[in-house]
Amino acid sequence: MGQAASQSVSAPPSAPASCPIDHSANKLSSSSGPAKCPIDHSSKAAAATAPPPAQCPISHDAGEINPLNQMPNLSQTPAAQQLAELPTEREVSSIPRDGSSRWEYPSPQQFYNALVRKGWETPEEHVETMVQIHNFLNEQAWQEILKWEKKEDPNAEPQLARFKGRPGELSPKARFWLFAGWLLPSRFNTEPPFDRHDWIVRRNSGEEVRYVIDYYSAPPEPDGSPVFSLDVRPALDSVGSIKQRILAASEDVWANFREESKRNSSQDAH
């Protein structure tokens, strides 16, 4: 379980390299390749090229929360100083809320209102792109959760029961890697995650499992586009989750050992 990101996502140069919303309250090895950003960075019409993502699984505000879905009641009304009109359509995610519905992401207008309320100065023309990146990051987090769940049960069809943003709280793993970075800054990351989420996943059996997601800023692309990485794993609060983490760590160790052996064999052959 090294300090390697499970997903890396590039963002357009105009977007900040940190989460744009102050959430109400970190990297995991994976065999999958880096995720591709859904935005075409080579075109000024980037926002229009992103595939539709789909109600947001993250609680973005410590204010009024809908008890039915743990979502803030974000206004669709334009802000007082807003100059440009923003879309109010909300996209439905791929993340199941129950057996018949899925979570829904906030509209660009709701997203912008959240930024204004939190004091973030964000050009209105960048909001739609930021929403796409935000949604895409959460879609990738869910895909990582599905990988864990499929290892536990190939027929798993989990649902996201509830969630909580905890950006002000470092997970034990994040603290460990920060300490490692303090000791060996040339080898390990010295930056803390810019956000943390806890997602409660409901399995087919009705069992609920907590997942921790740490969001990091990674080194930017050569063109300056910011990159993000996700560390998604089951929380160490149950025997089953501890077993999952140990098995995953063992797989990582053996995978690295085999890779090193192949590399050494290739060098010896030459």
Side-chain angles (χ1 to χ4, degrees), residues 52-89:
Q55 191 154 11
C56 178
I58 310 302
S59 174
H60 295 294
D61 189 75
E64 296 182 5
I65 301 293
N66 185 333
L68 298 179
N69 61 11
Q70 295 299 301
M71 284 292 298
N73 296 313
L74 298 173
S75 172
Q76 293 276 29
T77 303
Q81 305 300 321
Q82 185 175 330
L83 300 177
E85 184 177 351
L86 292 171
T88 57
E89 293 78 13

Side-chain angles (χ1 to χ4, degrees), residues 3-158:
Q3 196 188 22
S6 59
Q7 291 289 347
S8 294
V9 184
S10 299
S14 59
S18 62
C19 188
I21 290 185
D22 178 13
H23 301 278
S24 58
N26 265 327
K27 298 181 189 171
L28 177 69
S29 296
S30 170
S31 59
S32 61
K36 301 295 183 181
C37 181
I39 297 173
D40 180 6
H41 303 296
S42 64
S43 168
K44 290 184 178 180
T49 66
Q55 191 154 11
C56 178
I58 310 302
S59 174
H60 295 294
D61 189 75
E64 296 182 5
I65 301 293
N66 185 333
L68 298 179
N69 61 11
Q70 295 299 301
M71 284 292 298
N73 296 313
L74 298 173
S75 172
Q76 293 276 29
T77 303
Q81 305 300 321
Q82 185 175 330
L83 300 177
E85 184 177 351
L86 292 171
T88 57
E89 293 78 13
R90 303 181 67 174
E91 298 184 34
V92 179
S93 77
S94 67
I95 306 172
R97 181 170 57 184
D98 50 40
S100 60
S101 64
R102 299 179 184 274
W103 292 98
E104 187 178 59
Y105 291 117
S107 69
Q109 182 62 66
Q110 290 175 312
F111 197 94
Y112 181 74
N113 287 341
L115 298 179
V116 171
R117 184 165 60 251
K118 293 300 181 182
W120 288 79
E121 296 183 6
T122 305
E124 295 160 30
E125 62 269 22
H126 297 322
V127 171
E128 290 186 65
T129 296
M130 293 170 66
V131 168
Q132 290 172 6
I133 295 171
H134 167 274
N135 298 355
F136 183 65
L137 285 173
N138 290 315
E139 291 293 319
Q140 294 304 311
W142 183 248
Q143 291 305 310
E144 290 298 303
I145 288 175
L146 290 180
K147 291 177 185 178
W148 282 98
E149 290 297 303
K150 293 293 184 181
K151 289 181 180 179
E152 185 71 13
D153 176 9
N155 299 315
E157 295 182 356

Side-chain angles (χ1 to χ4, degrees), residues 72-256:
N73 296 313
L74 298 173
S75 172
Q76 293 276 29
T77 303
Q81 305 300 321
Q82 185 175 330
L83 300 177
E85 184 177 351
L86 292 171
T88 57
E89 293 78 13
R90 303 181 67 174
E91 298 184 34
V92 179
S93 77
S94 67
I95 306 172
R97 181 170 57 184
D98 50 40
S100 60
S101 64
R102 299 179 184 274
W103 292 98
E104 187 178 59
Y105 291 117
S107 69
Q109 182 62 66
Q110 290 175 312
F111 197 94
Y112 181 74
N113 287 341
L115 298 179
V116 171
R117 184 165 60 251
K118 293 300 181 182
W120 288 79
E121 296 183 6
T122 305
E124 295 160 30
E125 62 269 22
H126 297 322
V127 171
E128 290 186 65
T129 296
M130 293 170 66
V131 168
Q132 290 172 6
I133 295 171
H134 167 274
N135 298 355
F136 183 65
L137 285 173
N138 290 315
E139 291 293 319
Q140 294 304 311
W142 183 248
Q143 291 305 310
E144 290 298 303
I145 288 175
L146 290 180
K147 291 177 185 178
W148 282 98
E149 290 297 303
K150 293 293 184 181
K151 289 181 180 179
E152 185 71 13
D153 176 9
N155 299 315
E157 295 182 356
Q159 302 163 356
L160 180 59
R162 55 192 181 278
F163 40 81
K164 183 178 182 181
R166 304 173 65 181
E169 303 176 48
L170 289 178
S171 66
K173 187 177 179 181
R175 291 181 186 276
F176 172 82
W177 288 122
L178 279 178
F179 180 70
W182 177 73
L183 290 176
L184 299 169
S186 62
R187 182 174 180 183
F188 298 105
N189 183 23
T190 59
E191 294 296 325
F194 63 78
D195 201 2
R196 170 188 171 181
H197 299 157
D198 283 13
W199 292 11
I200 308 302
V201 173
R202 183 186 302 112
R203 291 176 170 167
N204 299 11
S205 63
E207 176 189 9
E208 293 188 346
V209 181
R210 181 169 65 96
Y211 278 82
V212 178
I213 307 169
D214 288 325
Y215 295 75
Y216 289 86
S217 294
E221 297 285 3
D223 64 357
S225 299
V227 177
F228 306 97
S229 61
L230 311 181
D231 183 359
V232 183
R233 72 276 186 192
L236 296 176
D237 52 11
S238 70
V239 173
S241 293
I242 292 173
K243 180 181 176 181
Q244 280 184 289
R245 294 279 291 275
I246 291 174
L247 289 174
S250 301
E251 290 175 1
D252 289 344
V253 170
W254 281 111
N256 291 334

